[in-house]
Amino acid sequence: MTLPRLGHPDLGLGVGLRSLHYQHILSQHPAVDWFEVISENYMDSQGRPMDTLERIAERYPVVMHGVSMSIGSADPLNLDYLSRLKKLADRIHAHWVSDHLCWTGVANHNSHDLLPIPLNESSLQHVVERIQVVQEILERPLVLENPSTYLNFSSSTMPEWEFLSLMSEETNCGLLLDVNNVYVSSVNHGFDPVEYVENIPHQRIVQMHLAGHTNMGTYCIDTHDGPVIDPVWRLFQRVYELTGGVSTLLEWDAKIPEFPVVHAEILKAKQHIGSIPSRADQSKETFNQEHRAAIPQPAVVVAAEYE
């Protein structure tokens, strides 16, 4: 039997680790539940970023979030990249490793963008086969996020939530539901975001993302440069009701304010779903996994976080 969320507990409310906040975190030890790091920022680093990450990982739970796996690409999987990814995950004892349902380049060229794939049976089988290989190399289930999208393919034959459902069922991978991406894509493509979140396998959602975006009038761009808007908070509240609560993280990648501002933004989640036990509170209880109730960032965002 597969445990809900691949056996992972709810870590609480976290934020993305950004270099701007290193000194504050190391000196103040803020009461944040957990951190998510961009994998590529640390895979080849032996300097200050890696030293800082190891010190933070000693005190806080850490998960890894990648932007270059290119699981949907026609290029062969980059085995060297996957080897280095596993080495980092083992080194910092990452709770899980995630990336995006997308492709990032072709012919060994990385576009540094999260490009959409056609949603049909052929691409589903292509992605399923690649996920299985990745999971064997990483020796752990992969967690994949729904990216924000700005176009549809005429060859698509199913909605994204159906694709994600079939993909996770066939591979036993986890899902990172970016709630903001659901909302952004719903505006861009005209679907009902509530229908989306109500029709994905909630027991496979390991993590949620929240973020701000830019409304351009006729479409939205997932810019991660401001607070979460009310419709996204309401959608998050619905997902929380459906899942019983999962690890939730705020992304803020451009126009980044001081750490207390970022932390205060994710703590707004408590206003929308009531009191969420912190990691410290949860440690006081026995966590019964078997009975635990069963959301393309612009290139500038990714580039801004490379060190």
Side-chain angles (χ1 to χ4, degrees), residues 225-275:
D225 64 352
V228 181
I229 67 170
D230 287 343
V232 174
W233 280 122
R234 290 194 291 271
L235 190 60
F236 161 74
Q237 182 173 359
R238 179 57 180 147
V239 178
Y240 186 88
E241 294 170 351
L242 292 167
T243 61
V246 300
S247 304
T248 301
L249 181 123
L250 176 74
E251 296 181 295
W252 202 317
D253 296 294
K255 303 177 185 177
I256 304 175
E258 297 300 312
F259 185 87
V261 177
V262 176
H263 193 199
E265 185 66 18
I266 187 59
L267 292 179
K268 291 179 183 178
K270 294 184 178 182
Q271 303 171 19
H272 297 273
I273 47 80
S275 178

Side-chain angles (χ1 to χ4, degrees), residues 114-145:
L114 308 177
L115 305 170
I117 65 173
L119 303 175
N120 55 41
E121 191 65 33
S122 177
S123 58
L124 174 63
Q125 291 309 309
H126 176 68
V127 168
V128 163
E129 291 172 3
R130 288 164 70 88
I131 291 173
Q132 290 170 338
V133 172
V134 169
Q135 293 185 146
E136 289 179 3
I137 293 173
L138 296 183
E139 297 183 311
R140 69 193 77 205
L142 180 63
V143 178
L144 284 176
E145 174 185 341

Side-chain angles (χ1 to χ4, degrees), residues 21-288:
H21 299 145
Y22 282 172
Q23 186 57 42
H24 178 86
I25 296 167
L26 292 176
S27 63
Q28 301 299 316
H29 306 306
V32 64
D33 288 339
W34 60 286
F35 287 100
E36 177 188 81
V37 303
I38 296 177
S39 304
E40 289 79 2
N41 285 348
Y42 302 93
M43 285 169 56
D44 298 313
S45 173
Q46 299 299 323
R48 178 174 178 246
M50 190 65 225
D51 177 69
T52 300
L53 176 56
E54 289 188 317
R55 292 168 66 185
I56 290 173
E58 291 176 354
R59 179 177 288 267
Y60 300 93
V62 172
V63 306
M64 288 166 47
H65 186 55
V67 293
S68 300
M69 186 176 292
S70 202
I71 198 71
S73 176
D75 280 357
L77 288 166
N78 186 329
L79 300 183
D80 177 64
Y81 170 88
L82 293 173
S83 175
R84 290 182 287 123
L85 188 67
K86 181 181 186 302
K87 182 178 179 180
L88 176 63
D90 292 342
R91 181 172 179 176
I92 65 171
H93 306 289
H95 281 243
W96 56 83
V97 177
S98 68
D99 207 289
H100 302 78
L101 177 63
C102 72
W103 59 288
T104 58
V106 68
N108 296 316
H109 173 73
N110 192 335
S111 70
H112 297 291
D113 213 339
L114 308 177
L115 305 170
I117 65 173
L119 303 175
N120 55 41
E121 191 65 33
S122 177
S123 58
L124 174 63
Q125 291 309 309
H126 176 68
V127 168
V128 163
E129 291 172 3
R130 288 164 70 88
I131 291 173
Q132 290 170 338
V133 172
V134 169
Q135 293 185 146
E136 289 179 3
I137 293 173
L138 296 183
E139 297 183 311
R140 69 193 77 205
L142 180 63
V143 178
L144 284 176
E145 174 185 341
N146 56 296
S148 55
T149 57
Y150 306 89
L151 59 81
N152 287 320
F153 289 91
S154 60
S155 58
S156 291
T157 59
M158 65 183 80
E160 188 171 84
W161 56 87
E162 181 180 347
F163 190 101
L164 291 170
S165 300
L166 294 170
M167 178 192 76
S168 61
E169 179 181 350
E170 291 193 38
T171 63
N172 196 34
C173 73
L175 299 177
L176 194 172
L177 182 67
D178 191 312
V179 182
N180 181 64
N181 285 355
V182 173
Y183 179 84
V184 167
S185 294
S186 75
V187 172
N188 293 341
H189 303 309
F191 64 77
D192 181 357
V194 176
E195 180 182 9
Y196 186 118
V197 301
E198 289 183 346
N199 285 280
I200 55 175
H202 306 120
Q203 74 280 7
R204 292 192 179 275
I205 300 174
V206 172
Q207 178 186 343
M208 285 190 280
H209 270 170
L210 293 166
H213 63 262
T214 301
N215 191 325
M216 305 300 293
T218 56
Y219 60 95
C220 292
I221 302 176
D222 183 33
T223 47
H224 296 187
D225 64 352
V228 181
I229 67 170
D230 287 343
V232 174
W233 280 122
R234 290 194 291 271
L235 190 60
F236 161 74
Q237 182 173 359
R238 179 57 180 147
V239 178
Y240 186 88
E241 294 170 351
L242 292 167
T243 61
V246 300
S247 304
T248 301
L249 181 123
L250 176 74
E251 296 181 295
W252 202 317
D253 296 294
K255 303 177 185 177
I256 304 175
E258 297 300 312
F259 185 87
V261 177
V262 176
H263 193 199
E265 185 66 18
I266 187 59
L267 292 179
K268 291 179 183 178
K270 294 184 178 182
Q271 303 171 19
H272 297 273
I273 47 80
S275 178
I276 302 176
S278 69
R279 175 169 48 88
D281 293 335
Q282 290 179 2
S283 67
K284 298 176 184 177
E285 302 177 0
T286 300
F287 187 82
N288 188 333

